[in-house]
Amino acid sequence: MRDVARWVTGLAAAFLAACAPAGPAVDVEAETEALRAAAQAYHDAAATSDTEAIVALYASDGVMYAPDTPTIEGMDGIREFASAFAAIPGVQIELDLEEVVVSSSGDLGYTLGIGEITMEGPDGEPVVETIRDFHVWRKDAAGEWKLAVDIWNSPEPPPEG
């Protein structure tokens, strides 16, 4: 009889565990809007070449895959690259946020920006390149969206200049 009681108790515990809620529901819509705001803050900082605002949006272990450069890792590397990029003569970045996606768990997402980078060419004339800017974001311990992976490229060969 004791074995039957243990078996019934174990079965009841397993049933209750299976029926228990998995945890608080994630408001994916609210997280999508929060991620959209973080991505827009990144685009605004890039448009004004605000290096410190850009760096503040990265995770401490963030990585950047810029065209024609080695992998850039961590805050110091990202700060160095962003500072050098901002110092390019005539550099301007304009990005439009095309896509924002958040996982059902609400702690991982990605964004896609499409835009243009303009800089001074060797002849002093502006050179414009269309870019696709893809970011993988994750929530940090404080619940803020941070840029974990930054990769961009162009859908066409670089302009001659």
Side-chain angles (χ1 to χ4, degrees), residues 48-127:
T48 60
S49 297
D50 187 342
T51 300
E52 288 309 311
I54 291 169
V55 172
L57 290 163
Y58 279 84
S60 61
D61 62 347
V63 294
M64 183 185 290
Y65 300 99
D68 305 318
T69 63
T71 301
I72 301 151
E73 299 181 72
M75 301 299 273
D76 291 338
I78 291 167
R79 180 176 285 105
E80 183 179 328
F81 182 86
S83 295
F85 196 84
I88 295 172
V91 73
Q92 296 176 335
I93 301 173
E94 290 186 34
L95 293 164
D96 292 319
L97 195 54
E98 296 287 323
E99 192 167 0
V100 179
V101 175
V102 172
S103 67
S104 60
S105 62
D107 60 351
L108 194 63
Y110 71 84
T111 59
L112 175 64
I114 305 292
E116 294 181 339
I117 295 177
T118 303
M119 61 186 74
E120 191 176 296
D123 60 0
E125 293 297 314
V127 175

